Amino acid sequence: MSSQGITAILLNGGFGTRSGANKPKQFLNLNGIPILAYNLLAMQKVEAIEMIIINYPDGSLDKVREIVTDYAITKPVQFVEAGDTRHASVALMLEHVTTPRVIINEAARPFVSPEDFQLLIDCPAKNVSLTLPIPFTVAPVEPTTGKITGSLERDKLRNIQLPQKFETEDLRAAHEHAKKNSIVFTEDATLVAVAGFEVEFINGPETNFKITTPFDLKLANYMFRKENDRDE
């Protein structure tokens, strides 16, 4: 690996129970292509990405290998079994990173583009995440009592997107900090920030949403149909 290279960590270990499907959502077809393949194809086009580390749900290694082969991914690919949580999965995949920088994305974001990855790579910040402004009002609540407990300044909040870029050693140190303090995070920009490292944000495209629910699947299929209609 070169001293300037980047490893891409592709989170692919979820079972997607909220999607309503009878198999992991990343294996569902979207516009005739498995959801997982979209990230692989985008990463394939980014010259700076030297290696892809991808995890897989229990029992799904052969299916993941098949998709990598079927879509002619020529970059080196390392396969890692998923951990018990997203947080644990990133920590396990980090053990295989040998480059000074790493990019993290989720397989369930099929609308990511090579330009999104390049935007992060070109950003001079060491640690940076794509985000979106929050266009609606949010407030802290107490779920057990059903009460609103205060207010939050919308201008000081962001919807955290992926992909994200980190210095590998900063990310490793942040995971070690979380382990020592018994903290589990659902994404890595806040993990790195809480560990004391500077993390910047830049706005990403609204289309780069994560497929989680049956509605998300319907929306994604609709977007592809509209795109195909324009191309005809």
Side-chain angles (χ1 to χ4, degrees):
M1 297 293 178
S2 74
S3 61
Q4 298 300 316
I6 293 176
T7 296
I9 285 179
L10 182 54
L11 287 156
N12 178 62
F15 283 95
T17 54
R18 286 177 290 175
S19 69
N22 58 2
K23 60 181 175 180
K25 62 190 172 189
Q26 58 269 37
F27 301 144
L28 297 174
N29 279 358
L30 190 58
N31 197 36
I33 296 175
I35 290 174
L36 167 59
Y38 287 97
N39 258 275
L40 292 169
L41 291 168
M43 291 173 175
Q44 175 76 8
K45 295 178 180 178
V46 182
E47 184 177 354
I49 294 178
E50 296 187 354
M51 179 180 184
I52 300 169
I53 301 176
I54 182 171
N55 66 349
Y56 57 90
D58 183 38
S60 298
L61 176 57
D62 288 345
K63 180 62 176 177
V64 175
R65 287 185 182 275
E66 178 185 312
I67 292 172
V68 169
T69 300
D70 286 351
Y71 289 89
I73 304 306
T74 58
K75 291 183 185 291
V77 178
Q78 174 79 44
F79 302 93
V80 178
E81 189 169 3
D84 293 335
T85 64
R86 181 196 185 284
H87 181 117
S89 288
V90 174
L92 289 169
M93 296 162 86
L94 263 175
E95 295 177 7
H96 300 273
V97 175
T98 60
T99 54
R101 296 180 294 167
V102 60
I103 278 181
I104 300 176
N105 201 27
E106 300 161 320
R109 292 180 182 268
F111 291 99
V112 71
S113 69
E115 291 75 22
D116 295 329
F117 291 117
Q118 197 63 50
L119 181 65
L120 291 174
I121 292 167
D122 293 340
C123 179
K126 291 183 177 181
N127 305 307
V128 59
S129 175
L130 294 185
T131 67
L132 280 176
I134 295 177
F136 47 81
T137 300
V138 293
V141 301
E142 177 48 61
T144 58
T145 63
K147 296 185 183 298
I148 295 174
T149 59
S151 64
L152 297 170
E153 293 185 52
R154 187 169 64 188
D155 290 346
K156 293 185 177 180
L157 299 171
R158 285 292 186 276
N159 178 359
I160 298 292
Q161 280 188 318
L162 276 80
Q164 300 168 341
K165 179 188 76 174
F166 302 102
E167 291 286 300
T168 302
E169 291 310 311
D170 289 356
L171 185 57
R172 285 196 174 117
H175 272 270
E176 187 61 30
H177 176 270
K179 182 178 179 180
K180 287 180 179 178
N181 290 277
S182 301
I183 310 172
V184 175
F185 289 79
T186 57
E187 58 79 41
D188 292 88
T190 50
L191 178 149
V192 173
V194 168
F197 297 97
E198 188 173 90
V199 182
E200 296 188 13
F201 69 88
I202 50 180
N203 287 334
E206 291 182 325
T207 53
N208 182 23
F209 64 92
K210 181 179 179 180
I211 293 179
T212 303
T213 67
F215 176 80
D216 296 331
L217 283 168
K218 291 179 181 178
L219 176 60
N221 275 299
Y222 171 79
M223 290 172 62
F224 274 116
R225 284 198 302 270
K226 296 295 286 185
E227 186 67 31
N228 290 338
D229 289 344
R230 284 195 294 269
D231 291 341
E232 291 178 356

